[in-house]
Amino acid sequence: YTYHGLGFPVQLLNVQLRPFKDTRLLDCDLNMIEVAAAHMVPIKCGVLTGREIKFLRRHLDMTQTEFAQMIQVSRQSVITWEKRASDAGVHPAVEKVLRVSVLRKLGIGGELLAMSIDRIMNPSTKAVRLRINVESMLSPEAVMRTFLVEAA
């Protein structure tokens, strides 16, 4: 099932769909999906999209000004990136700072921060759609480890 409720597509694996009137509804914790996605977007392969940057900023409950200050760019830069649906056009060095800053803000350190962001952001690395295995969603960190294995 592809979920579009975060502003970009996220493939949910092993999700239960519950019949409701003439449709089917997701039977899972959408807040947990948001948290898992917030942990996964900064480490996904390929460049970040404007929608993903906007999602991360909102998930961190930051204004455009606060987000810009966190990564030491202008507010106008954040506005411009967020307007772009696909490739946000962020300079690779700035995108690296953005990814690491978001991970730190989420409280992620150690081996994940030591992981090579350069490898993830390599233009020749194929971008992948985020996939969350809802059945095994015990914690965002567990989901992220699954994503890292699938993306490798």
Side-chain angles (χ1 to χ4, degrees), residues 5-150:
L6 302 176
F8 53 91
V10 177
Q11 186 179 5
L12 301 179
L13 307 175
N14 300 313
V15 67
Q16 298 293 319
L17 296 174
R18 187 177 30 159
F20 180 76
K21 296 188 181 180
D22 293 334
T23 189
R24 295 165 59 105
L25 300 175
L26 286 174
D27 189 15
C28 61
D29 184 348
L30 296 179
N31 291 328
M32 192 65 158
I33 289 172
E34 179 182 334
V35 170
H39 284 76
M40 292 165 53
V41 167
I43 59 168
K44 81 174 188 82
C45 294
V47 298
L48 294 176
T49 68
R51 290 177 179 163
E52 290 166 341
I53 291 172
K54 186 173 188 174
F55 163 76
L56 289 170
R57 178 182 62 78
R58 285 182 168 176
H59 180 76
L60 294 173
D61 196 28
M62 298 177 85
T63 65
Q64 290 172 326
T65 301
E66 292 167 336
F67 194 77
Q69 289 171 346
M70 178 180 76
I71 56 176
Q72 299 179 356
V73 298
S74 70
R75 178 177 168 267
Q76 188 57 47
S77 293
V78 175
I79 292 169
T80 301
W81 300 336
E82 289 184 357
K83 286 182 181 177
R84 297 184 178 150
S86 56
D87 179 353
V90 181
H91 186 278
V94 175
E95 185 171 329
K96 183 175 182 177
V97 170
L98 186 156
R99 288 172 184 252
V100 170
S101 297
V102 168
L103 289 170
R104 284 193 177 129
K105 191 85 169 162
L106 291 170
I108 299 170
E111 64 187 54
L112 288 175
L113 273 180
M115 192 174 68
S116 173
I117 298 282
D118 291 328
R119 181 184 64 82
I120 291 170
M121 293 175 50
N122 186 332
S124 65
T125 304
K126 182 182 174 193
V128 295
R129 178 178 285 182
L130 294 184
R131 295 187 294 173
I132 299 174
N133 187 343
V134 175
E135 189 175 81
S136 64
M137 195 163 53
L138 303 174
S139 70
E141 292 77 15
V143 174
M144 192 164 37
R145 280 190 290 277
T146 302
F147 172 75
L148 288 173
V149 169
E150 290 176 354

